[in-house]
Amino acid sequence: MFSGQPAGRSELLEQCWSGVSAGGLVLYGTAGIGKTTVLRALTNLVRRAEPDAVFLHCEPSEPDRLLPLSALADLLAGDSGDDIGADAMAAAMSALPGRQRSVLVGLCRGELTHVSERLAVRIAVRDFLAELGRDGRPVLLALDNAQWIDPASAAVLEFSLGRMGPARLRVVAAERVSAGGAPAATRLCPDGGTEVEVPSLPAGALIALVRARAGDALPGWAARRICAVSDGNPWFAVEIAAAAAHRDRPLQLGEPLPVPARLRALVAPQLAQLSAAAMETLLFAAATDRPTIELLRRAGRSRVAEDLAEAAGAAVADLDYDGVIRFSYPLLAAVVYDRAPGIRRAAVHAALAGVVEDPVARARHRALGDTANIRFAAAELDRAAELAAGRGSPAAAAELAALAARRTSTVDGDLVVERTLRTAEYAAGAAMFDLARPAAENVLAVAVRPSDRVRAGLVLLDAAGQGLVHAAGLFNSVLVDAGDDPALLAPVRVWVGIRYLLEGRLVEARVEAQQAVSLAEIAGDEAVRGVALQVLSMAQLYLGDPNAERTIERAFADSVGAFGSRAKRARLWLMSGRLVPARNELAQLAVTADRLGLPSQLWMVLPDLIDAEVRLGNCAAALQFGARGLRLTDEADLGRGPVLFSAALAEAAGGSLQRAGELARGGVAASEADADRLMQLRSSALDGHVSLLAGRPAEALGPLRRAGKLSESMGIGEPALCDWQADLAEAYIRLGNDDRARTVIERAVGQAEHLDRSGVLAALGRAEGLRLASIGQADGAADVLQAAADRFAMLSMPLEHGRTLLELARMERRRRHRSAAERASENALEIFERAGAQPWLEKARSEAGTPDAVRTAGPVLTADERQVTAMAIGGATNAEIARTLFVSVKTVEAKLSRIYRKVGVRSRRQLALKLGNSSDSDGVVDIAAG
């Protein structure tokens, strides 16, 4: 219902919908936060849900507040937006007595001014609204800019609406408040209303909005800066983006963002309260990252405490808990800095350069403050960039290197190339590819030395991300530039190996990685050798080569603590069933990457971290990491395929199956566009898993078979890469194809036993138990399922353990072992509840016969009858019920006939109607005990 709505607002709309349904909702927030957008989206949702509803709308402006009854006239005279509303309003007007019609006509014409007529207006409006809502017709009043509704209109609305109630009329109001303020429009809602503060727009949605409005005129790094300054406010972001995009020359890294006049006017009343001395102190604070009272004192601001107290009184800035001076919101700092003349800003930076202790900050301030000694500033910036990179801050290093390159004289051609190359390399390390690409391309346009050209080419390969297959021409040119120099050729061969990995050419990837290892050893380049070993280990791992673990240990030993080596080792642990150490290592890596601002590294580990959390049954953590991944690809220029896959994996375990399916299919599409066959395989398998979990084995078969074909064509020998085999076998079983299921199971068991993949063997054991049940061997099936459940419990894989217990409960019911069935079912429910596995929890409750619709009926149904009833009410066909329960269609028909007799109905429709709303009935007998 809430799909296709304004980006980043689906959860908010879902939260608001209950308030609209209850009769009254007040959206409130600061200027530009998006209240009107949300109000309009809610109005459209009501139009779709209730086509016969009548809509009245008003949107007063600030001067209207001084005009009595102007908002009310706007509300009643405005266009309802459709013929239904216009006809309903005309009919309601005609039904009023003549005197009341005259009053409303005069109101709409602006002819009512005398105070004595106010009571007549109140009664006429009340009766008009009552006529509109006659016979249960929905009526919605949309009051935008409620803070500017004139007092007379507010009084009439409060009188009229307070006498009608939410059953006949609903109100949605949007009201601007100051930061921390409370809304007043709640009094206009029938029986009060729900207050919802409109939050900041999520970063990803905000960046997308900025890019959509500014187009190619604004680089990605500028869009991210604008979003930081706007603090999630879409109006602020769009205004600043428009100003930046329409400058006479492109915005340069390190330059202040332009603040348009409308935004300056918005904060002008606050800043006007401050003295010139306080404004000067705030300029110093706005010019540095972590301004403290002591720092500004040393920079020459002797009355910092007094100036700060003045700023706090005007709600402009204050001292935070950590001793840092912080502006109330970032736009204030941007305005303070932007309004100062350039010469004054330079003087402030020069003063700060003399007192800051950090060499990186000092270099930046000196460069912005010393416009005369450009060569010295460039050299200092270059050294500071190197220092920032060594600290693990590539984004800061990229900005400093870009400043250094801009301040380097074109006479020093080689130095310009080197500093531009460093800018590209640092930016790539920070996933700022919109800065890295043009810098690398500029180098290729002028560089002659092969080493410079190869370095630039490597940056462009890194920037290609998951789409390396589309960079064939670039690969060829970089290989030509590298020639036969081992030092240049080794890193290029690493990237060729990575490309082959993504394309699923695993044998070739292994060969390229082995060559890269040898070349790096000849060149004595330990760093490149470590990366080459990582690529080699992944090719070996996916091929099922038992040497993979030894290669990973070599890579780890060569570069102790290296991020990539630790991540690859954790992936091996994950596939081999060492889940807890894998999760702990991946979590530490994610924290490190997040803290240091390394989006590429965080992007690298999140899919495996989410996989580990899902396997360990930590669904809430998996969902949080999935959401973080989606935000990450919005914030940085990174491939979406892996992140969509991992977010889908989290949703399938603990969220929404519908959302999981959408994300998985999105992952397939993104990976196909990038020609990333490995991720196509994993996303296709997950798409099939979601359909299977949703009870649609026929739909699951297509993507699962596609995963199998991809795996076979790539020569995948690692069955734990994604558990598609067990799901494919189960889909075949559900569809009655035992022979194909047996073939899938037997082939996969051989691979899993060879590599000792216990988790895969347990899943295949569950599939074999289902196969035995499908051919009538219930006793053997129960034994095999119990063994699989025990194995999953030993491996600490609760979701798979619970899933297997559900199948075991079915078998035990079939064998008429009622107590064993109930025990297995209850254990599965407990596991899923503890894990927060919502889709599995719903499935377990349904199969246990515990939905409210089935629990509350007069006669006593058996456990099997409860299960059939729940599935029938849920829309399953007789054939689907038969396949799920491993019985014949005739058995299902006989069971349904008995159920109909017991409940006293003749059809599925009557069964659903009788049981669907019976949970609130009086005197019913709980049938859950069977």
Side-chain angles (χ1 to χ4, degrees):
M1 177 177 184
F2 301 101
S3 60
Q5 300 301 324
R9 294 304 195 192
S10 294
E11 290 184 8
L12 176 63
L13 290 170
E14 192 170 354
Q15 177 189 358
C16 292
W17 187 250
S18 59
V20 176
S21 303
L25 174 74
V26 177
L27 300 161
Y28 70 99
T30 55
I33 201 66
K35 303 177 294 297
T36 296
T37 300
V38 175
L39 182 144
R40 290 173 180 168
L42 285 168
T43 302
N44 290 333
L45 284 171
V46 175
R47 287 185 188 275
R48 282 163 43 189
E50 300 175 347
D52 62 335
V54 177
F55 297 86
L56 303 180
H57 175 264
C58 73
E59 189 176 356
S61 59
E62 188 170 8
D64 293 334
R65 184 168 173 77
L66 303 177
L67 302 176
L69 300 177
S70 58
L72 195 59
D74 186 24
L75 187 73
L76 299 180
D79 183 5
S80 65
D82 54 53
D83 293 339
I84 292 175
D87 292 344
M89 292 177 68
M93 185 70 78
S94 299
L96 294 177
R99 170 59 180 157
Q100 290 187 350
R101 282 201 305 273
S102 299
V103 167
L104 293 184
V105 170
L107 171 65
C108 294
R109 292 176 177 172
E111 297 171 354
L112 294 183
T113 57
H114 200 276
V115 175
S116 63
E117 297 175 306
R118 300 289 171 83
L119 179 59
V121 171
R122 293 186 180 196
I123 295 172
V125 169
R126 180 200 64 190
D127 292 351
F128 174 73
L129 294 176
E131 283 293 336
L132 272 183
R134 187 174 296 281
D135 299 325
R137 182 194 297 276
V139 180
L140 180 74
L141 271 60
L143 311 177
D144 202 359
N145 287 340
Q147 74 278 3
W148 288 326
I149 294 178
D150 61 275
S153 294
V156 172
L157 288 172
E158 188 174 1
F159 171 85
S160 303
L161 301 179
R163 286 158 175 78
M164 297 186 67
R168 304 186 66 182
L169 188 142
R170 285 169 289 177
V171 174
V172 179
E175 181 178 356
R176 179 195 294 186
V177 298
S178 57
T186 312
R187 63 194 176 95
L188 302 179
C189 298
D191 295 342
T194 302
E195 296 177 358
V196 175
E197 183 174 11
V198 178
S200 299
L201 195 63
L206 196 61
I207 289 173
L209 177 65
V210 166
R211 286 177 168 170
R213 296 296 178 88
D216 296 333
L218 205 62
W221 59 263
R224 289 188 286 275
R225 275 189 61 199
I226 289 170
C227 291
V229 168
S230 62
D231 199 25
N233 188 299
W235 179 46
F236 293 178
V238 167
E239 289 285 317
I240 297 172
H246 295 97
R247 283 163 45 108
D248 294 335
R249 59 182 181 81
L251 187 67
Q252 297 290 326
L253 197 66
E255 285 186 325
L257 291 171
V259 182
R262 286 208 294 177
L263 295 189
R264 284 198 213 143
L266 182 69
V267 300
Q270 280 179 273
L271 298 180
Q273 302 175 48
L274 303 179
S275 64
M279 285 295 296
E280 182 72 4
T281 295
L282 290 179
L283 176 58
F284 274 76
T288 190
D289 290 334
R290 291 181 58 82
T292 63
I293 290 178
E294 178 58 28
L295 176 66
L296 298 195
R297 271 205 193 102
R298 284 191 279 123
R301 304 306 302 161
S302 59
R303 291 174 50 85
V304 180
E306 292 84 349
D307 292 340
L308 187 59
E310 190 178 331
V316 173
D318 207 345
L319 197 66
D320 210 344
Y321 70 94
D322 56 357
V324 174
I325 299 169
R326 300 196 192 279
F327 287 83
S328 300
Y329 42 97
L331 179 65
L332 282 165
V335 171
V336 168
Y337 191 84
D338 181 66
R339 66 189 288 178
I343 191 170
R344 186 66 209 128
R345 291 198 299 256
V348 167
H349 283 294
L352 288 168
V355 296
V356 295
E357 297 177 357
D358 178 54
V360 173
R362 182 167 56 247
R364 180 177 176 276
H365 284 303
R366 185 164 291 163
L368 295 174
D370 187 355
T371 56
N373 196 349
I374 294 178
R375 177 171 294 189
F376 174 77
E380 188 171 13
L381 284 167
D382 196 25
R383 291 190 296 271
E386 188 174 357
L387 180 59
R391 291 176 177 176
S393 302
E399 180 177 350
L400 293 164
L403 288 171
R406 273 211 314 272
R407 283 163 171 72
T408 304
S409 171
T410 54
V411 175
D412 300 324
D414 289 344
L415 197 54
V416 171
V417 167
E418 176 60 28
R419 287 172 177 170
T420 305
L421 264 175
R422 291 187 184 182
T423 300
E425 290 168 341
Y426 295 147
M432 299 169 64
F433 295 119
D434 40 24
L435 174 62
R437 286 190 197 94
E441 288 165 354
N442 288 341
V443 170
L444 284 177
V446 299
V448 176
R449 289 184 305 191
S451 59
D452 293 338
R453 296 185 62 80
V454 168
R455 285 171 63 191
L458 293 174
V459 168
L460 292 176
L461 289 173
D462 192 4
Q466 301 298 102
L468 279 173
V469 69
H470 305 305
L474 178 60
F475 271 109
N476 292 335
S477 64
V478 177
L479 284 168
V480 169
D481 288 331
D484 56 1
D485 184 339
L488 299 181
L489 199 54
V492 180
R493 289 294 179 195
V494 169
W495 277 105
V496 175
I498 293 172
R499 172 188 172 183
Y500 287 159
L501 271 181
L502 294 175
E503 293 178 357
R505 298 159 65 179
L506 301 181
V507 173
E508 293 165 276
R510 180 169 59 184
V511 171
E512 287 292 339
Q514 287 169 335
Q515 290 184 10
V517 170
S518 300
L519 289 166
E521 288 173 345
I522 294 171
D525 192 330
E526 293 184 4
V528 172
R529 180 177 184 272
V531 177
L533 284 169
Q534 293 171 30
V535 176
L536 175 59
S537 69
M538 288 299 98
Q540 291 172 332
L541 182 62
Y542 299 151
L543 285 166
D545 186 336
N547 292 314
E549 185 164 6
R550 190 182 316 136
T551 303
I552 288 176
E553 292 303 330
R554 283 175 63 196
F556 188 76
D558 282 359
S559 51
V560 175
F563 195 99
S565 299
R566 292 174 63 188
K568 302 301 185 295
R569 186 174 65 170
R571 181 175 298 175
L572 175 66
W573 288 344
L574 181 63
M575 291 187 179
S576 60
R578 288 171 276 181
L579 301 181
V580 173
R583 189 270 312 276
N584 292 344
E585 179 79 327
L586 291 163
Q588 288 181 10
L589 291 172
V591 169
T592 299
D594 218 8
R595 186 183 70 248
L596 295 177
L598 304 174
S600 293
Q601 282 83 342
L602 182 60
W603 174 86
M604 179 199 304
V605 300
L606 274 179
D608 285 338
L609 177 57
I610 291 168
D611 195 356
E613 297 290 12
V614 167
R615 295 186 193 215
L616 287 167
N618 301 322
C619 295
L623 287 168
Q624 289 177 353
F625 287 128
R628 179 68 184 95
L630 291 174
R631 293 197 305 272
L632 184 66
T633 55
D634 288 328
E635 296 164 8
D637 190 5
L638 295 165
R640 289 185 63 81
V643 170
L644 288 169
F645 160 79
S646 51
L649 185 64
E651 286 287 341
S656 157
L657 285 184
Q658 179 181 349
R659 173 78 169 145
E662 292 170 354
L663 289 166
R665 289 186 290 276
V668 172
S671 301
E672 286 177 346
D674 290 335
D676 182 349
R677 299 183 77 208
L678 277 172
M679 197 49 63
Q680 284 180 54
L681 163 61
R682 301 184 76 183
S683 295
S684 294
L686 181 56
D687 185 16
H689 170 79
V690 171
S691 294
L692 190 63
L693 174 55
R696 301 190 298 268
E699 288 184 28
L701 198 58
L704 288 170
R705 290 177 65 180
R706 184 164 59 249
K709 289 179 180 177
L710 282 167
S711 179
E712 185 175 351
S713 67
M714 288 187 285
I716 297 287
E718 173 53 76
L721 178 61
C722 60
D723 299 336
W724 61 268
Q725 301 98 326
D727 280 343
L728 178 59
E730 182 175 335
Y732 277 135
I733 293 164
R734 302 290 186 203
L735 296 170
N737 198 329
D738 169 68
D739 290 340
R740 288 196 173 184
R742 184 174 64 248
T743 301
V744 171
I745 293 169
E746 289 174 352
R747 286 187 60 185
V749 165
Q751 288 180 319
E753 286 180 341
H754 175 66
L755 294 172
D756 191 25
R757 297 297 185 244
S758 297
V760 177
L761 288 169
L764 293 168
R766 179 180 60 232
E768 175 62 14
L770 297 178
R771 192 189 70 79
L772 291 173
S774 72
I775 59 175
Q777 299 181 23
D779 291 344
D783 292 340
V784 172
L785 287 169
Q786 183 65 65
D790 293 342
R791 194 166 199 169
F792 279 128
M794 182 183 65
L795 292 170
S796 299
M797 298 176 68
L799 299 191
E800 294 296 335
H801 183 202
R803 177 181 178 181
T804 309
L805 286 175
L806 282 184
E807 301 297 346
L808 178 61
R810 289 179 183 172
M811 291 306 100
E812 296 293 10
R813 279 194 291 270
R814 185 174 179 184
R815 297 165 73 200
R816 301 189 183 282
H817 294 176
R818 178 175 171 180
S819 60
E822 290 182 352
R823 184 166 57 251
S825 181
E826 289 170 2
N827 288 342
L829 274 169
E830 183 180 347
I831 287 170
F832 296 141
E833 285 174 351
R834 189 164 55 243
Q838 191 60 34
W840 285 110
L841 195 54
E842 292 171 2
K843 189 176 183 68
R845 286 172 176 162
S846 172
E847 296 191 8
T850 57
D852 290 343
V854 182
R855 290 177 59 94
T856 54
V860 174
L861 301 180
T862 66
D864 284 349
E865 288 169 346
R866 292 201 306 274
Q867 192 171 9
V868 170
T869 302
M871 297 177 73
I873 289 176
T877 65
N878 289 357
E880 289 171 338
I881 296 172
R883 284 193 297 268
T884 300
L885 301 182
F886 303 109
V887 296
S888 68
V889 174
K890 288 195 173 189
T891 300
V892 173
E893 292 171 349
K895 286 181 181 291
L896 280 171
S897 295
R898 287 196 299 273
I899 293 165
Y900 294 164
R901 287 197 302 272
K902 287 183 177 183
V903 178
V905 298
R906 295 184 178 181
S907 67
R908 278 173 175 254
R909 181 175 179 278
Q910 291 177 353
L911 182 68
L913 288 172
K914 182 160 185 177
L915 298 187
N917 295 314
S918 61
S919 59
D920 295 328
S921 303
D922 295 328
V924 295
V925 179
D926 191 337
I927 64 169

